[in-house]
Amino acid sequence: MSLLLQIILLLLATLIFAPLAKRYASTSILGYLIAGLLLGSGVFNLIHDAGLISQMTDLGMIMLMLFLGFAFKPQQLWVQRHSLMINSGLPLLLSIIFLVSASFFILQDFLKSMILGFALALSCITLVQQLLQNKIQINSKLGQTALSSLQLHSLFAVVLIGLFPLLEDTASTQHGIAYFAAIIATISGLFLASRYLVRPAFRFLAHRHSVELIPVLGLLIVFSVLLLIDILNIHTLIGAFLAGILLAETEFKVEVERMISPFRDAAIGLLFLAIGLEISLTPLLQSPLFILASISGLLLIKAAMIAACGYYQQRSGKFSMGLAILLAHSGELSFLLLKIAESEQLLSKEILQPTLLIIFGSMLLTPLLFWLMNTKILPLMQKKAPKHAHDVPQHPILIVGFG
C-alpha cells in the first residue's frame, strides 16, 4: 500500500471516529486511539508500515512534550506546593508503591516492575482537560485541583525521562555527573536566552508590526533548542518540554497560544493515533480475565489512593470522588515512558502489548465513570434528609443581593 493511501486512510478514520468519540464520550482522544486500533494490526491490519508508525510516534511524543511545556506553570506549582503534596504527590507516591508491588508479584523482575509502576501511576492530561471542558468544570475547584495535579505528573514524567539514560544496561547509558551537568547547564543557558534573546526578539517583531512572523520565530526557537539538546546528547523530549516553557515565558504567550491552539489537539492526537496502530488485541484474546482484572485493579488502586488523600485534605466526599475518577486511569505520559523503555531495551513486546491494552481500557472506562458520577452518584449524594425542627436556625437571616 502506498504511503499516500495510508495517510488518506488515517485522516479518514480520524474524521469519522474523533467526532463520534467527542459526541458520545466527551473526548476526541479516544477516537484517535480507536481509529488507530482499527487500522492497525490489532483489527484490519491495513497499516503496518513500521517506519511510518515509528515516525508518527516520535513526532507525536515531541509535540506532546512541547505543548506540555507550553502549558507548564512552575510558579503555580510553587505557590500550591503544600496542598499539591497531599492532593497529588502523596497519592502518586502511594500508587507507585502499590503498582510496583503488584507488577513485581507478576513479573518477578524489580527493574521492569519499577518502570511499569511509575508509568501506570501517571494520568492522561488531555483526556481530563477535555472532560472538564465538556462539563464546563475546568474553572471549578475540582477542575483546578485536577489540572494542578496533572502539572505535577508532567514534571514527574520529565524527571523520569531524564533518569532513563542512567539506568544500567540501557542502550544509551551515559556518565551520571556529566549528564546531569549538561542538563543543569542547558536549563541555566535557556533561562539566560529567554531573558536576553527570546523576549527581545519577540519585542522587536512587535515594534516592527510584524506579528505575522511570530510563528516563524517560535519555530526557530523550538528547532534551536532541539538542536542544542541533540548536540549535548540529552533526550529530545526534554528539549521539547524546555522549548515549550521558553515560548510560554514571554509577554507574548497569549499571541503564541492563539496561533498554535488550533493545531494542539490534532498534534497530540497524532501520538494517540500511532499508539492505536501499535495496540494488539492478542493479549485480550489469550488472557481476557487477566487484562480485565488488571484494568479494574489499576483503577481501584489509584482511585483509592487519590480519594483517601483528597478526603483528608478537603473533608468532602463529592470532591474526593470526583478527583479519584478523573485521575484514576493512565494515559499519554504512561505510553511515552513505556515507549522510551522499549527503545532502551528495558521492556519487551510481550510486556508492552498487554500494558498498552490495560492503559487503553482504563482510558475507555473513565468517560463512563465520569458520566455516572455526574448523572447518578452526585445527585444522590446531594439529596439531603429533611431537617428536624430543632436543627433549623432560629435567629433572623438577612439575604442581600440583586433581586
Side-chain angles (χ1 to χ4, degrees):
M1 185 181 296
S2 68
L3 177 63
L4 184 59
L5 181 56
Q6 293 181 70
I7 294 174
I8 290 174
L9 287 175
L10 287 171
L11 293 174
L12 184 61
T14 300
L15 291 173
I16 293 173
F17 290 101
L20 287 175
K22 191 171 184 178
R23 169 66 178 85
Y24 294 105
S26 303
T27 173
S28 60
I29 290 302
L30 292 177
Y32 287 97
L33 276 171
I34 293 171
L37 176 64
L38 293 176
L39 292 177
S41 58
V43 182
F44 295 117
N45 199 26
L46 295 176
I47 297 177
H48 45 76
D49 187 339
L52 174 63
I53 297 173
S54 177
Q55 291 175 358
M56 289 174 58
T57 304
D58 292 340
L59 180 58
M61 290 194 297
I62 290 173
M63 297 304 296
L64 171 67
M65 295 306 293
L66 178 66
F67 283 108
L68 288 182
F70 188 80
F72 190 66
K73 300 174 182 177
Q75 293 180 348
Q76 180 183 355
L77 285 181
W78 179 252
V79 170
Q80 299 177 346
R81 61 189 183 278
H82 298 298
S83 60
L84 272 177
M85 287 301 103
I86 301 297
N87 286 329
S88 182
L90 183 58
L92 182 61
L93 176 62
L94 293 175
S95 298
I96 289 172
I97 293 172
F98 277 94
L99 291 172
V100 169
S101 302
S103 301
F104 184 77
F105 178 77
I106 297 171
L107 300 176
Q108 298 296 312
D109 187 299
F110 184 70
L111 181 58
K112 291 182 175 61
S113 302
M114 286 282 289
I115 294 171
L116 290 180
F118 277 88
L120 293 174
L122 301 176
S123 304
C124 183
I125 297 174
T126 311
L127 176 61
V128 174
Q129 287 176 337
Q130 291 185 351
L131 288 176
L132 291 172
Q133 286 174 347
N134 185 70
K135 294 296 182 181
I136 319 178
Q137 295 181 5
I138 202 161
N139 291 318
S140 66
K141 183 179 180 180
L142 173 64
Q144 289 300 302
T145 303
L147 294 179
S148 298
S149 299
L150 293 172
Q151 291 263 308
L152 189 63
H153 284 215
S154 63
L155 176 61
F156 188 65
V158 172
V159 173
L160 291 177
I161 293 171
L163 293 176
F164 262 107
L166 301 179
L167 296 175
E168 294 182 359
D169 301 326
T170 62
S172 61
T173 302
Q174 302 174 41
H175 192 269
I177 298 176
Y179 181 68
F180 278 113
I183 292 179
I184 294 172
T186 302
I187 294 174
S188 303
L190 291 178
F191 173 78
L192 295 174
S194 172
R195 183 170 183 177
Y196 296 108
L197 290 176
V198 176
R199 294 181 184 180
F202 275 107
R203 295 191 193 106
F204 175 81
L205 292 181
H207 292 157
R208 295 296 184 274
H209 305 288
S210 300
V211 181
E212 70 278 0
L213 292 177
I214 284 182
V216 180
L217 178 58
L219 285 175
L220 174 62
I221 293 169
V222 172
F223 291 151
S224 300
V225 173
L226 292 178
L227 177 61
L228 175 64
I229 290 293
D230 185 59
I231 293 173
L232 295 174
N233 206 19
I234 301 173
H235 204 290
T236 307
L237 296 182
I238 296 179
F241 186 78
L242 293 176
I245 294 178
L246 203 60
L247 288 176
E249 291 297 314
T250 69
E251 57 266 47
F252 297 91
K253 178 182 178 180
V254 176
E255 184 67 21
V256 176
E257 187 173 14
R258 183 184 65 83
M259 294 180 176
I260 66 176
S261 58
F263 308 99
R264 181 183 180 277
D265 286 346
I268 295 177
L270 180 67
L271 173 62
F272 287 94
L273 194 61
I275 291 167
L277 290 170
E278 293 196 62
I279 293 178
S280 172
L281 296 179
T282 303
L284 179 62
L285 299 176
Q286 293 176 344
S287 308
L289 293 179
F290 172 76
I291 298 297
L292 295 176
S294 299
I295 294 172
S296 303
L298 172 65
L299 292 173
L300 288 174
I301 288 173
K302 294 182 67 176
M305 299 301 104
I306 296 167
C309 296
Y311 187 81
Y312 174 81
Q313 178 77 0
Q314 301 292 334
R315 301 295 178 182
S316 170
K318 174 184 174 182
F319 175 86
S320 58
M321 179 181 295
L323 193 63
I325 289 176
L326 278 174
L327 302 179
H329 59 282
S330 301
E332 71 271 79
L333 296 175
S334 309
F335 286 129
L336 188 143
L337 291 176
L338 292 173
K339 289 301 296 180
I340 296 175
E342 184 192 23
S343 67
E344 296 283 1
Q345 301 173 9
L346 295 172
L347 287 180
S348 62
K349 285 283 186 182
E350 290 73 18
I351 297 175
L352 183 65
Q353 286 298 338
T355 308
L356 293 181
L357 267 177
I358 292 167
I359 297 171
F360 175 62
S362 70
M363 292 177 62
L364 203 61
L365 287 175
T366 298
L368 175 61
L369 295 174
F370 192 65
W371 175 81
L372 286 173
M373 181 191 72
N374 283 286
T375 59
K376 305 295 182 182
I377 300 174
L378 288 186
L380 290 176
M381 293 177 65
Q382 291 170 352
K383 287 182 179 179
K384 297 181 179 180
K387 292 185 177 181
H388 300 290
H390 62 271
D391 293 330
V392 179
Q394 300 298 321
H395 54 274
I397 296 176
L398 177 64
I399 299 176
V400 180
F402 293 101

